[in-house]
Amino acid sequence: MFSLKRIATSTKAIAEPMLRCHRYYPRRAVVLQSRTVPQSQLLLHSKRFISTTSSTVEEEENNVAAENTNDHHAVVSTFDLFSIGVGPSSSHTVGPMRAAKIFITDLREHKVLDKVASLRVDLFGSLALTGVGHGTPEAILMGIEGESPDKVETSTIRSRVADIKSNKSIRLDGTHRISFDYDKNMLFNYFKTLPQHPNGLRFCAYDNNANMIATNEYFSIGGGFVVNAETQLDHGENVYYKQINEKDAVVAERREQDVAVVSLPFRNSEELLAVCKRENMTIAQVVFENELKWSTPEEIKEKLLRIWNTMDDSIRNGVMASPDDYLPGSLRVKRRAPRLYNKLLKGLYGAPLSQTGVGYSHSRIPLGDNAADDASVASTDVSNNTQYPLALTFLPKKPRKKFVLPALDYLSVYAIAVNEENACGGRVVTAPTNGASGTIPAVLKYYLEFISENPEKDVMEFLLTTAAIGMLFKRGASISAAEVGCQGEVGVACSMAAAGFTAVMGGTVDQVENAAEIGMEHNLGLTCDPIAGLVQVPCIERNALAAVKAIAAAQLALNGEGDHRVTLDQVIETMRQTGADMMSKYKETSQGGLAVNVPLC
């Protein structure tokens, strides 16, 4: 929740430099004499003015910004980092859907929804350039109708969008029908980018007299995360200015990562390792203790298992689909996971899947009252032997395990299955993004099927460890391909998966950090150049290779002593600088790389 703030108009305030990519704060809209002027325009003018002054002033301001940034810890909720949504993209599908729902909900709660007669949506930068291939317009339309990524019925999206386009009308929040001409009211600004972030979109609501009622700009910063300026109503009233109860306050505080007070804060991997060694805890235990700020131990466990079960379902849906199906879009890419899975099972059972009756090998873990008897017994043992901190009880340290590589081909099949399901707009988990959603489930599924002795504890250990690494990348660099290329998505997923696998194999915290470093070091400079703007080529295969690379990184780390020349913090900073230097045509715009060298026909 946001409180109403007075808008600063001094040159000093306007010219304050933006913080680094992990903390973008969009500008408010400034209301001047019934004419709404985005403050971003004022910023552009102020930047031109500042450029004529001495470099000393600019350097001092940048140092202040960097100093302020360093005060903010990296901790966010694991369940903000891992969220259930729909494909094909977290930044281009999940984020825009959430942004649209936020805007419509604001209108409803301020009792101006019924006054809206027309709506205009502007897409900027990467959202405009690759939005069609990423399903951005469809996601926005669903958000306008009140849907959320974790609950929308994916099988109905296409038919509902077709009705909106043919009837030229849409229902705001599912109740208030207004005219909406898709070709006129959904605008793609291909050659414009808002200064705060490449993934920008703007909503404007008008009454019957074409007077603007409210407007806001939103920025999808990767992984389904959305930041937005406070919505401005006519006369400058703020949509977010409202009373909230205690429960809402907790949710709002959790969303504000920079002000959240957690038990064991850390800003980078060096501090994370120091906390682990000081408290004699694993990385997963540290994250668990921090998560207790927002949830009980039982709630954390249930949420983690639900995340994994959703991942497992996405693998199942991918491998059990028809092998004759094509992925949506102009590329006409045929599904490969079903045929590959059939071949693997044929090798194990001597006959095709359809003839064996074996079916899919589930790795789901029962929740709540449906848990197995042995799970309830284990729970009783835990309650009778509670240690503090609680993380020591729920996540005991793991003994060292021997590493074997049976049926490594399953890694590729699992990753391809998830990403094909994502490409079809199915239900997946952002891990940390939709475009990279296959790597972490594939590695965890592989571990559970071939190595795990305690799936429930291993799922918790794996996901909490990977979440910690994701937090470091989100704070220190970015998890948005539109900012830093695919190194921020598949590269980060590979690093997270390598860390998680090392942790469940019984590696030390130093080995976990080493595995994460190796996983990213060899993904530095990875570009994002999807052909036709679709999250298919090279995205699907890239997840499979990242899963295999994660296992290799973990193996190297486990065979070492944790002492290595390059640290994870150094790699994260290198990734940030590489992304900043990377040309925009290689950052999810489909204007370079494979996107321009592979013919579409």
Side-chain angles (χ1 to χ4, degrees), residues 526-542:
L526 195 61
T527 61
C528 181
D529 49 357
I531 301 175
L534 299 169
V535 192
Q536 297 175 14
V537 182
C539 318
I540 296 174
E541 283 185 356
R542 190 168 284 176

Side-chain angles (χ1 to χ4, degrees), residues 298-428:
E298 291 74 20
E299 289 172 340
I300 296 172
K301 174 182 172 182
E302 184 174 349
K303 289 177 184 178
L304 288 170
L305 297 183
R306 182 173 292 112
I307 289 293
W308 164 242
N309 288 340
T310 303
M311 290 178 173
D312 192 49
D313 285 342
S314 64
I315 297 175
R316 176 182 60 83
N317 293 336
V319 299
M320 300 301 289
S322 170
D324 298 321
D325 286 349
Y326 287 87
L327 302 180
S330 58
L331 292 182
R332 297 285 293 168
V333 175
K334 182 177 285 189
R335 280 184 181 262
R336 285 190 295 171
R339 293 185 187 276
L340 292 172
Y341 193 65
N342 250 317
K343 290 181 179 180
L344 289 175
L345 290 187
K346 184 177 180 179
L348 289 177
Y349 300 104
L353 179 63
S354 58
Q355 298 177 17
T356 61
V358 174
Y360 177 70
S361 176
H362 284 279
S363 296
R364 290 179 62 87
I365 300 175
L367 301 177
D369 296 334
N370 297 324
D373 293 338
D374 56 346
S376 62
V377 172
S379 177
T380 303
D381 294 340
V382 168
S383 62
N384 293 334
N385 297 279
T386 301
Q387 303 179 58
Y388 293 94
L390 288 175
L392 300 179
T393 298
F394 282 83
L395 292 167
K397 292 187 176 181
K398 307 181 70 61
R400 186 66 178 268
K401 296 181 180 179
K402 293 184 178 180
F403 183 55
V404 292
L405 291 173
L408 193 60
D409 288 341
Y410 277 87
L411 271 174
S412 298
V413 175
Y414 295 152
I416 290 173
V418 174
N419 282 92
E420 287 181 346
E421 192 64 18
N422 176 66
C424 291
R427 184 84 62 205
V428 296

Side-chain angles (χ1 to χ4, degrees), residues 21 24 91-92 124-131 134 190 193 197-199 220 478-489 525-530 533 542 575-595:
C21 54
Y24 278 112
S91 60
H92 287 56
F124 298 90
S126 180
L127 291 183
L129 290 166
T130 62
H134 284 57
Y190 299 108
T193 301
H197 194 277
N199 292 335
S220 182
S478 174
I479 56 174
S480 170
E483 282 188 286
V484 294
C486 197
Q487 60 176 356
E489 298 202 17
L526 195 61
T527 61
C528 181
D529 49 357
R542 190 168 284 176
M575 171 196 158
R576 185 191 69 81
Q577 294 177 10
T578 303
D581 294 338
M582 189 181 292
M583 298 176 68
S584 62
K585 67 180 181 179
Y586 297 118
K587 295 193 282 191
E588 206 170 7
T589 61
S590 291
Q591 294 180 324
L594 287 174

Side-chain angles (χ1 to χ4, degrees), residues 443 462 466 493-503 512 515-516 518-519 549-551 553-554:
V443 174
F462 188 97
T466 57
C494 178
S495 178
M496 294 168 65
F501 190 82
T502 305
V512 170
I518 295 171
K549 190 181 293 186
I551 298 292

Side-chain angles (χ1 to χ4, degrees), residues 152-463:
V152 62
E153 179 54 54
T154 58
S155 61
T156 65
I157 293 178
R158 291 187 185 179
S159 59
R160 290 173 63 181
V161 170
D163 288 340
I164 292 172
K165 291 181 178 180
S166 60
N167 296 329
K168 295 188 176 182
S169 67
I170 193 170
R171 294 180 303 162
L172 304 186
D173 202 30
T175 58
H176 178 52
R177 185 175 291 277
I178 65 170
S179 61
F180 187 88
D181 188 332
Y182 176 85
D183 296 326
K184 295 181 179 179
N185 299 126
M186 183 80 70
L187 303 180
F188 296 80
N189 298 278
Y190 299 108
F191 305 107
K192 293 182 180 179
T193 301
L194 298 179
Q196 295 90 335
H197 194 277
N199 292 335
L201 64 158
R202 179 188 298 142
F203 294 91
C204 298
Y206 302 89
D207 62 16
N208 286 318
N209 297 319
N211 295 318
M212 183 182 293
I213 300 175
T215 185
N216 200 358
E217 291 176 354
Y218 298 82
F219 304 91
S220 182
I221 62 174
F225 286 88
V226 177
V227 251
N228 58 284
E230 291 85 349
T231 302
Q232 296 290 316
L233 298 178
D234 51 347
H235 309 301
E237 185 182 356
N238 188 285
V239 167
Y240 278 96
Y241 187 67
K242 54 181 178 287
Q243 297 296 322
I244 56 176
N245 56 36
E246 291 183 1
K247 181 178 179 181
D248 290 335
V250 171
V251 174
E253 185 178 12
R254 187 187 66 161
R255 299 290 182 183
E256 292 290 334
Q257 98 177 51
D258 297 328
V259 300
V261 180
V262 292
S263 302
L264 302 169
F266 53 87
R267 294 176 297 178
N268 48 48
S269 67
E270 182 182 4
E271 291 187 5
L272 175 59
L273 295 181
V275 169
C276 291
K277 294 173 182 178
R278 184 186 72 228
E279 303 294 333
N280 192 26
M281 300 171 73
T282 66
I283 292 176
Q285 289 170 344
V286 169
V287 178
F288 188 95
E289 283 297 316
N290 287 336
E291 203 66 42
L292 288 172
K293 172 179 173 58
W294 305 299
S295 305
T296 65
E298 291 74 20
E299 289 172 340
I300 296 172
K301 174 182 172 182
E302 184 174 349
K303 289 177 184 178
L304 288 170
L305 297 183
R306 182 173 292 112
I307 289 293
W308 164 242
N309 288 340
T310 303
M311 290 178 173
D312 192 49
D313 285 342
S314 64
I315 297 175
R316 176 182 60 83
N317 293 336
V319 299
M320 300 301 289
S322 170
D324 298 321
D325 286 349
Y326 287 87
L327 302 180
S330 58
L331 292 182
R332 297 285 293 168
V333 175
K334 182 177 285 189
R335 280 184 181 262
R336 285 190 295 171
R339 293 185 187 276
L340 292 172
Y341 193 65
N342 250 317
K343 290 181 179 180
L344 289 175
L345 290 187
K346 184 177 180 179
L348 289 177
Y349 300 104
L353 179 63
S354 58
Q355 298 177 17
T356 61
V358 174
Y360 177 70
S361 176
H362 284 279
S363 296
R364 290 179 62 87
I365 300 175
L367 301 177
D369 296 334
N370 297 324
D373 293 338
D374 56 346
S376 62
V377 172
S379 177
T380 303
D381 294 340
V382 168
S383 62
N384 293 334
N385 297 279
T386 301
Q387 303 179 58
Y388 293 94
L390 288 175
L392 300 179
T393 298
F394 282 83
L395 292 167
K397 292 187 176 181
K398 307 181 70 61
R400 186 66 178 268
K401 296 181 180 179
K402 293 184 178 180
F403 183 55
V404 292
L405 291 173
L408 193 60
D409 288 341
Y410 277 87
L411 271 174
S412 298
V413 175
Y414 295 152
I416 290 173
V418 174
N419 282 92
E420 287 181 346
E421 192 64 18
N422 176 66
C424 291
R427 184 84 62 205
V428 296
V429 176
T430 58
T433 67
N434 281 28
S437 59
T439 301
I440 290 175
V443 174
L444 181 50
K445 175 79 169 178
Y446 169 82
Y447 176 82
L448 293 177
E449 287 207 338
F450 296 104
I451 305 174
S452 177
E453 297 172 354
N454 189 335
E456 187 176 282
K457 290 289 192 298
D458 288 338
V459 165
M460 296 175 64
E461 178 94 17
F462 188 97
L463 292 180

